[in-house]
Amino acid sequence: MWCSYACGSSEHNISRRGFFATALGGTLGALALDPLTRPAFTHELNKQQKRVLMIWLHGGVSQLETWDPKPGTKTGGPFQAIPTSVPGIHVCELLPYTAQRMHHLALVRGLNTAEDDHGKGYYLMHTGRRQEPAMKWPHLGSVCAKLLGSSDNPLPGYILITPRGNGGVNSEDAAFLGPRYASVALSDGHAPANLDRPAALTEAADQQRHEFRIHANQRFLRSRRTAQTEAYTHSYDQAAQLMRKRDLFDISKEPPTVIDRYGRHDFGRHCLMARRLLEGGATFVKVMHTNYDTHHENFDFHIEQLGEFDRPFATLLDDLHDRGLLASTLVLVLSEFGRTPNINRNYGRDHWSRAWSIALAGCGIRGGSVSGKTNADGTAVTEGQVNGGHLFHTYLSALGFNSKKNFYIEQRPIPIADPKAAPIKEVLA
Amino acid sequence: MTPAPTPHIDPAKTHLLKEYKHDSPLLGCRFDPSGQFVFAGAQDNNVIRWHLDSGKKTLLTGHKSWVRALAFAQRRGEEKKGKEGEKRTSQSSSPCLLFSADYAGRILAWPSSAEGPKPAHTLEAHHGWVRALAVSPNGSRLASCGNDHLVKLWSVPDGGLIHELAGHACHVYNVVFHPDGKHLISADLQGIVKVWDLAKGAIERELDAKILYKYDPSFRADIGGVRSMALSADGTLLACAGITNVSNAFAGVGNPLIVLFDYQSGKQKQLLRPKTPFQGTAWGVVLHPTGFIAGVGGGNGGMLWFWKADNAQDFFSLKLPTNARDLDLHPNGRHLAIAFFDGAVRIYSLEK
């Protein structure tokens, strides 16, 4: 289902106000009275604004080499399990930095998504639903852009930092929510193109051009207003505001020591950009780390890839925590699926969705908790089995939404999350 | 399996002689210098010893992770045998030490022929995987290399660290001593081969086996490396085995290759490839004293190939039951041991 018209009516407009279980009003009212408190107010508002960071480990990271190690078993592979900052919880030795932040993290070890295809697994983990011929569901990023975003935020509601690709907008991600909530990809962490005003264009001329465009748009919209035209118009306003925030995309503004803490490789740079964007008011930032599709040489490749993941991720958690933002930022570490407990003849692990794990942290999450359990060799879930629908409910609940609510599209109620599932209470604060 | 002084070797007549089974996939294998035993390292963290005549199987238990690297040091120091080369024709049956190394960074030393072997000593050797071991020609020094980018030299008698050789910029995959006793050769993930002057503890020169390495931009990962390395007995030829032409790192789509160097000049003498297309990695290589080169591969099945140094294509190949993961030559020069994914060490005869 596509969005045919975004009229802003109460039926269509699923506002933050309608879904937040907690209110900002008290804080806003009290702080807004005193202009002298403005910096503190901005800081406080930023802490109150809820946001999401998704780290996407592309290709299917191995649960046995991350969150659910099984050393000394036939399926365990060569790595050891190491203790974490939470007594009794162990993770794979490939995550020494993350292990020391386990008190921030919750592990879901009972995941059975029953979907071993890359594309379908990707869809399921982004939407909380299986693909259906007659229905396209919005990505979590688009849902959050809709529910958490505000119209005066110049940053795109759903920002995707990819290690490659062409960048740009992918409207399909937003489905019926409309293109305004689509993902905007920053290829290789580069800022959106043309953020700087052309040198030959004066500020005054630029303003005149802007005003003329608004005039023409308003005339056009009187008779031909659609969700697409509205998004088109909005994108110009957003772009103008975005140009004023272009420094957010420039990690060279950070001290060299900070860049070094994250690492000067792509994922390190992208995590640092994510922190700058989240700190600068972004609603949903997804950082993709590729690749984990290790049918061959699973162990060598996980050494390399997780060696790149571990420290920047831990640094990002630290920075969010130190800035007081972690409590209002939901952090997700996801993948399309896990990898087979069985080790194939090429030292590889194949696709495996029957018993795997993810990690959560931050907003609404009970740090140091574990939900679900797998058997001794990791081939099956033995306790607390959940699927992608449960995860989607959990994310929404962690952000303070009632996940049983509906979107209303043309007065038709559409459940935001799969009605057959429910939040995973063990990992919620 | 008694050593014979004058073997009649014909690789084209290679055939399966014996099979020894374990219940876990194997990673590496070596004959001991006496030629009485074959040892293998396994994914269940065990080292397995089989007596070649009786087939008696003994587990050497003590490692904390997978074991691939195996090397022997004879106490009297007559004949030595490193992981990747120094193939000799020792007839000695003197007591010797087996060194085995695991992916938890530890090296264990065992009395190799003892009835119930227990580790004589343990070295906390590397941070991360130990990839290969070699023993010096005079038997006094053990070399190890690993994922911490280091090559280390150890005293065989007491296990003390003699020297730490830093210079590789990535995981070090293999190490061998040159028969001159003055040089050590190490090779890494990126196909960089370093020749070390042992007296100075410094890099003397580098050889280029980068054809065995690729950074796959699609998967954003390094693939390849020198998976096996061997020297001819006279030290004139050096062979490095691995994978090349990689088009898909994570599916292992590439072809086995052995880079044969003229050791003295450091130049590539030949690139040895399978005549019949094969997808996978060359996991083991040995140089036979009579002049041919044998290699094994695993990928879409297993293969054994034989080359002559002056021809890029193999002159004989044999399809193996499953993926081969390592190869060694018996001291008698008549038999090959191959370690397999299915848990077997199979002994192949090279005799007519």
Side-chain angles (χ1 to χ4, degrees), chain B residues 120-136:
Chain B
H121 54 264
T122 300
L123 306 177
E124 299 296 338
H126 288 267
H127 182 69
W129 296 13
V130 185
R131 298 270 188 171
L133 297 172
V135 172
S136 62

Side-chain angles (χ1 to χ4, degrees), chain B residues 27-30 40-42 47 63 66-72 82-84 98-103 106-108 110 129-134 142-145 173-175 326:
Chain B
L27 293 95
C29 64
R30 288 292 177 271
V47 175
H63 280 291
W66 294 6
V67 181
R68 182 159 200 264
L70 303 166
F72 298 91
K83 179 179 186 297
E84 306 301 342
L98 162 69
F99 290 98
S100 57
D102 65 28
Y103 288 178
R106 301 205 314 169
I107 299 172
L108 302 186
W110 316 76
W129 296 13
V130 185
R131 298 270 188 171
L133 297 172
L142 171 74
S144 63
C145 62
Y173 277 16
N174 260 291
V175 63
D326 200 12

Side-chain angles (χ1 to χ4, degrees), chain B residues 34 41 76 101 167 224 250:
Chain B
S34 75
R76 289 201 302 245
F250 286 5

Side-chain angles (χ1 to χ4, degrees), chain A residues 142-194:
Chain A
S142 299
V143 170
C144 290
K146 175 88 174 172
L147 300 182
L148 294 172
S150 67
S151 57
D152 57 354
N153 189 342
L155 294 168
Y158 177 6
I159 298 173
L160 166 59
I161 303 174
T162 69
R164 57 171 183 250
N166 297 321
V169 177
N170 188 350
S171 343
E172 286 202 8
D173 294 349
F176 56 75
L177 296 179
R180 184 168 165 179
Y181 304 105
S183 65
V184 174
L186 309 179
S187 177
D188 195 24
H190 292 129
N194 306 317

